[in-house]
Amino acid sequence: MHNKIHLLGTLRHWDQEKQYKQQKKKMMNAAVSFIGGTNGDKQGLAATVTANPGELKLRAALSDTNFTDGSAVKPGNILLSVEKPGSFTVDFDIPKKDVQFQFLNTFKVEGKQVNWVYTHSRNENRTVLDGTLLLDSANKISASHELGSVNCKLKYSYVHRGLVTFEPCYDLANNSWDLAVTRRIGVDLIKATYETSNRVLGVELSSSSLVNKTGRIKVSAAFSLTEGLQSPKLSVDSMWNFPV
């Protein structure tokens, strides 16, 4: 009898330990990404650790870590975040001593869902309002406006048969149109963009089928057409996610 009780206690302990590990796996996650290429503005390593205690999500991110001399790693940006999904996000930029607040809200107008996002950066004293009206599962209209300025963008999005997304966008400040077309192939995405204001053509491949299930690789090319077709700026961004 004593052996049976001991065995049941051991099995219960193993089960509790298994449940604890599963909960811990859900509560904490880490991601590491590398950016490289001919685009000098975006190169280096980035790392993110995310914890989910209850309804909140805590995130610590280290980005723009460049290997400037081949031996030293110099962190360029440390960001701490507190987020309640669907409600608010507060970002703390440690080097810049800046705080950004973001509040989200969702409501309905005549049966149509409207998503609002209010974003305020303290140092820049900059406030942006973003709104999206979901007409149906394939069509939506969105607007982004910086308060106190003429910066405003209007975008329409149409998803054709769940595979191809067309997104024309009008920039009121520059009086110009931008266009983005995205094609889904399985779990991979191919995206082409064109910015009429600076005449830049972009092509991007985002793939998780080329790596394992926990990773994703993105290859981008930007062509400047101001002086004819020239060599593009290339960048490669690879990311791996794993539980902590």
Side-chain angles (χ1 to χ4, degrees), residues 73-91:
V73 178
K74 299 182 178 180
N77 186 27
I78 301 175
L79 184 70
L80 302 177
S81 299
V82 179
E83 176 186 356
K84 183 178 181 180
S87 181
F88 68 85
T89 302
V90 182
D91 295 327

Side-chain angles (χ1 to χ4, degrees), residues 178-235:
D178 298 332
L179 177 64
V181 180
T182 305
R183 176 69 161 89
R184 178 179 295 277
I185 304 176
V187 295
D188 300 335
L189 297 173
I190 299 178
K191 184 177 183 179
T193 59
Y194 182 68
E195 302 174 4
T196 58
S197 58
N198 50 18
R199 300 187 63 188
V200 172
L201 174 65
V203 181
E204 177 183 296
L205 169 64
S206 179
S207 173
S208 59
S209 64
L210 298 177
V211 293
N212 54 37
K213 295 181 180 179
T214 61
R216 175 169 286 272
I217 186 170
K218 183 170 67 175
V219 181
S220 305
F223 300 85
S224 177
L225 306 181
T226 54
E227 299 179 358
L229 187 61
Q230 299 180 355
S231 299
K233 290 185 177 181
L234 301 176
S235 66

Side-chain angles (χ1 to χ4, degrees), residues 79-194:
L79 184 70
L80 302 177
S81 299
V82 179
E83 176 186 356
K84 183 178 181 180
S87 181
F88 68 85
T89 302
V90 182
D91 295 327
F92 303 91
D93 193 322
I94 304 302
K96 297 180 180 179
K97 298 180 180 179
D98 191 14
V99 180
Q100 177 176 282
F101 303 91
Q102 188 175 84
F103 300 95
L104 299 83
N105 191 19
T106 299
F107 56 91
K108 288 192 175 183
V109 177
E110 296 185 356
K112 305 296 183 182
Q113 181 174 316
V114 178
N115 299 327
W116 277 102
V117 180
Y118 170 94
T119 306
H120 178 74
S121 299
R122 188 185 65 177
N123 282 7
E124 297 178 352
N125 194 24
R126 180 172 177 263
T127 302
V128 177
L129 291 178
D130 296 285
T132 302
L133 172 63
L134 279 66
L135 301 175
D136 51 42
S137 59
N139 297 272
K140 63 182 178 181
I141 301 173
S142 60
S144 178
H145 174 56
E146 180 181 346
L147 299 185
S149 73
V150 296
N151 295 331
C152 182
K153 291 184 177 181
L154 303 174
K155 184 169 68 174
Y156 169 71
S157 177
Y158 167 67
V159 182
H160 181 67
R161 296 182 178 180
L163 296 176
V164 183
T165 302
F166 300 91
E167 294 179 306
C169 178
Y170 179 64
D171 189 334
L172 274 71
N174 295 320
N175 190 26
S176 62
W177 285 90
D178 298 332
L179 177 64
V181 180
T182 305
R183 176 69 161 89
R184 178 179 295 277
I185 304 176
V187 295
D188 300 335
L189 297 173
I190 299 178
K191 184 177 183 179
T193 59
Y194 182 68

